[in-house]
Amino acid sequence: MLLIGFFVLITGLIVGFAGLAIYALATGRLAGIKLVIVVGIVIFAIGGALYKVLKHRPQPHGASITREEQPELWRMIDELAVMANTRGPDEVRLVPEVNAAVWEDSKLLGLRPGRRYMEIGLPLLAGLTTSELRAVLGHELGHYSHGHTKYAAVTYRASATMAHTVNELDGPIGWLMRLYMKLYFLVARSANRAQELQADALAVRAAGKSAARSALGKIPALDVAWAHYNRSYVGLVGQAGRTPDLLLGFNSYLTNDKRREDLAALQGEMLDAEPASKYDSHPPIRVRIATIDKMTEPDQQADNRPSWTVLRHPEDTVPRLEGQLLTRDFGPRASWQEIVQLAGAAIDKNNAEALVKLATVSGVTRTGSLDEVLTAIDQGKAVALASPALDEDMHPHDKQKAAVEVLTQLVSDTISLALISSQRAAYELDWSGPMRLRLAGGELLDVSEVVEPAVADPTRMPALREWLARMNVDTGQPSPKWNYDPSAR
């Protein structure tokens, strides 16, 4: 009713202003022209908003999961739909987000049923148990059961039209519209929160209180974990030129002992610190969990299998589904260990080339060989050497510190590349942290721990050179009779 009231209010204002404008023009008053301009601005704002919003139609995305390929997953969804006393989805899709959702492409302002869609986030299949997945899907089907999706498309478009219209209007009319919109969202969000609690009741019926509670608590931390996994691991695939196993990799990430401990702590912190606002569309998770605890529904025996085990032949179907989620083809499929090895070597190669360019562009060295770079650092020219990569306006103390950081990274990666190229070292996967360089003899090696002291304090350069000699790292030959000329830059 508030949505209808918004357009009634707009229409009333337009008709009222139009009447005043006609009257003012008929009486020959200058104010009539101003009123005509105001009415024109309002009509233009509303028309533009309606055109932009109403022409947009939601489109399904992600990888389609068919009944033939995944009968067990579909059986679970069909069973939950019967439990919710509702028509299930016509399409199920796998999406690359920590989320599950349902929506309906209804017709005639929601009066005519449309095609129903369910989206299941790939990270949920890696991070939830089978019982927790049942709870999540039961919750989503609860939205169908209570008719929450029937008018969702219309409500979304009308709300977007309202917001766009308000942004286009200034002055007293804009103030009045913003006040009305604030009232609308206050009421609408309250209704949204009530809908979430209704859907939670179906989650409890689907899987029991324990599973519904644990699924709610896990999802915010899973969202953070998925973002970190993408930055720290999936971000390597472009360098490696290989296609990873996204789901199995994320499952390995989550089941790593350190990650499991970190996420458990994060989960508690996020629930305690979760903000609450009367304009939120979802109640705080702690409120939802407390509401679940008060339900009289008996608990159920938990199915603690990883939820991805409901997929049939995951070794075949999951790579195909993941291939549809990736934005581009990264190359042949490979294990995460191979991806880390290739990516680590590629990053070292890029940084070794960057060191050569930095050393030659700065004018401090002739060829940019490792030997020349170390000699320049030994002569106290670290800042001059790194200067092309530094901000000229930095304080001298900050510039010195930044130069040490830049050169430590580039020199360390240049040495690592030499060890990798001679097959005396290789990077290895570590789900608990950054990739690690391991020597062929089995020893872990942090090259920066050896390099940084010499870069920061040139008096320790002989120790670094002695270590390089023991490691048989070829530093290249220095150019004869080469002296740094600052004016040459």
Side-chain angles (χ1 to χ4, degrees):
M1 292 300 295
L2 282 173
L3 278 175
I4 296 173
F6 176 79
F7 292 103
V8 170
L9 177 61
I10 284 286
T11 303
L13 286 171
I14 292 174
V15 171
F17 278 122
L20 288 173
I22 293 171
Y23 172 77
L25 286 173
T27 57
R29 296 180 181 178
L30 181 61
I33 299 176
K34 295 182 179 179
L35 284 171
V36 169
I37 294 173
V38 170
V39 172
I41 292 173
V42 173
I43 293 174
F44 179 79
I46 295 173
L50 284 170
Y51 173 76
K52 289 183 178 181
V53 175
L54 294 179
K55 75 174 184 177
H56 173 75
R57 296 184 66 86
Q59 296 295 328
H61 70 292
S64 179
I65 302 176
T66 66
R67 286 183 177 275
E68 293 74 22
E69 290 176 335
Q70 300 299 336
E72 186 176 345
L73 176 61
W74 271 95
R75 274 196 299 271
M76 177 188 292
I77 294 169
D78 291 339
E79 176 195 340
L80 296 174
V82 171
M83 183 181 298
N85 193 28
T86 189
R87 177 168 64 91
D90 300 295
E91 253 187 73
V92 176
R93 288 180 169 263
L94 190 68
V95 294
E97 298 108 28
V98 182
N99 189 35
V102 290
W103 56 283
E104 183 172 354
D105 190 13
S106 57
K107 314 293 182 184
L108 296 176
L109 301 179
L111 297 176
R112 182 179 171 185
R115 188 169 182 81
R116 288 183 166 184
Y117 298 88
M118 172 179 278
E119 296 173 355
I120 303 173
L122 173 71
L124 299 183
L125 294 176
L128 300 182
T129 67
T130 300
S131 284
E132 290 166 346
L133 179 65
R134 280 181 62 90
V136 169
L137 300 186
H139 173 96
E140 297 304 327
L141 289 165
H143 285 305
Y144 279 147
S145 176
H146 291 285
H148 301 161
T149 61
K150 192 174 183 181
Y151 303 103
V154 176
T155 303
Y156 165 76
R157 292 182 184 184
S159 300
T161 301
M162 185 188 301
H164 190 80
T165 302
V166 167
N167 288 335
E168 294 292 323
L169 296 175
D170 294 317
I173 298 177
W175 177 83
L176 180 61
M177 293 299 100
R178 276 188 286 275
L179 188 63
Y180 192 96
M181 184 177 71
K182 193 172 183 179
L183 173 63
Y184 163 74
F185 280 113
L186 185 64
V187 175
R189 294 297 182 251
S190 176
N192 292 149
R193 292 193 295 274
Q195 290 175 350
E196 293 302 320
L197 295 178
Q198 285 181 323
D200 282 344
L202 265 297
V204 171
R205 287 182 57 196
K209 295 166 67 172
S210 297
R213 195 166 43 223
S214 62
L216 278 174
K218 274 185 178 181
I219 288 176
L222 277 178
D223 195 24
V224 175
W226 177 249
H228 183 264
Y229 169 73
N230 275 276
R231 288 195 307 271
S232 301
Y233 296 93
V234 181
L236 298 174
V237 301
Q239 294 280 359
R242 297 291 187 273
T243 300
D245 292 317
L246 290 173
L247 187 148
L248 296 179
F250 191 48
N251 183 258
S252 297
Y253 173 97
L254 294 174
T255 54
N256 174 269
D257 289 340
K258 183 179 184 302
R259 298 297 185 193
R260 198 200 314 264
E261 291 175 7
D262 291 345
L263 287 173
L266 177 64
Q267 180 177 324
E269 292 172 6
M270 293 184 73
L271 292 182
D272 291 338
E274 186 182 14
S277 169
K278 56 189 176 182
Y279 293 104
D280 289 339
S281 61
H282 288 60
I285 290 177
R286 58 184 178 274
V287 171
R288 296 171 67 182
I289 290 176
T291 303
I292 287 173
D293 288 338
K294 295 176 184 177
M295 294 180 186
T296 58
E297 187 81 23
D299 209 352
Q300 300 180 21
Q301 184 174 355
D303 183 347
N304 291 320
R305 293 177 302 157
S307 59
W308 57 266
T309 58
V310 303
L311 299 178
R312 182 185 185 188
H313 303 312
E315 68 279 2
D316 297 323
T317 57
V318 170
R320 182 189 65 78
L321 293 169
E322 290 177 347
Q324 297 179 48
L325 300 181
L326 294 171
T327 55
R328 65 185 179 90
D329 181 14
F330 290 100
R333 296 195 73 85
S335 69
W336 275 105
Q337 175 58 35
E338 182 180 352
I339 287 171
V340 165
Q341 285 183 341
L342 293 171
I347 292 170
D348 285 349
K349 183 174 184 295
N350 290 339
N351 283 345
E353 292 172 353
L355 179 63
V356 171
K357 183 175 180 180
L358 190 68
T360 53
V361 168
S362 68
V364 174
T365 74
R366 185 185 298 276
T367 67
S369 70
L370 182 57
D371 185 88
E372 289 183 351
V373 168
L374 296 180
T375 298
I377 294 172
D378 193 15
Q379 294 172 350
K381 300 172 184 176
V383 173
L385 185 64
S387 58
L390 305 179
D391 186 346
E392 293 183 359
D393 297 328
M394 292 178 69
H395 187 277
H397 175 74
D398 294 335
K399 188 174 286 189
Q400 175 67 36
K401 183 179 179 181
V404 171
E405 291 177 356
V406 169
L407 293 176
T408 295
Q409 182 69 61
L410 298 183
V411 170
S412 297
D413 288 352
T414 300
I415 295 170
S416 297
L417 179 64
L419 294 171
I420 292 169
S421 299
S422 61
Q423 298 184 345
R424 284 175 286 158
Y427 282 105
E428 69 174 19
L429 173 66
D430 182 7
W431 288 118
S432 64
M435 55 185 169
R436 306 179 297 183
L437 187 68
R438 189 178 291 276
L439 294 172
E443 178 187 355
L444 285 174
L445 176 64
D446 186 344
V447 179
S448 63
E449 289 185 350
V450 184
V451 171
E452 195 275 339
V455 175
D457 180 6
T459 63
R460 305 181 68 171
M461 185 60 70
L464 174 59
R465 285 189 177 276
E466 182 181 339
W467 179 82
L468 290 171
R470 289 200 310 271
M471 299 296 292
N472 293 319
V473 174
D474 182 11
T475 61
Q477 294 301 316
S479 298
K481 299 181 180 179
W482 173 249
N483 293 310
Y484 170 54
D485 180 6
S487 63
R489 289 190 62 231

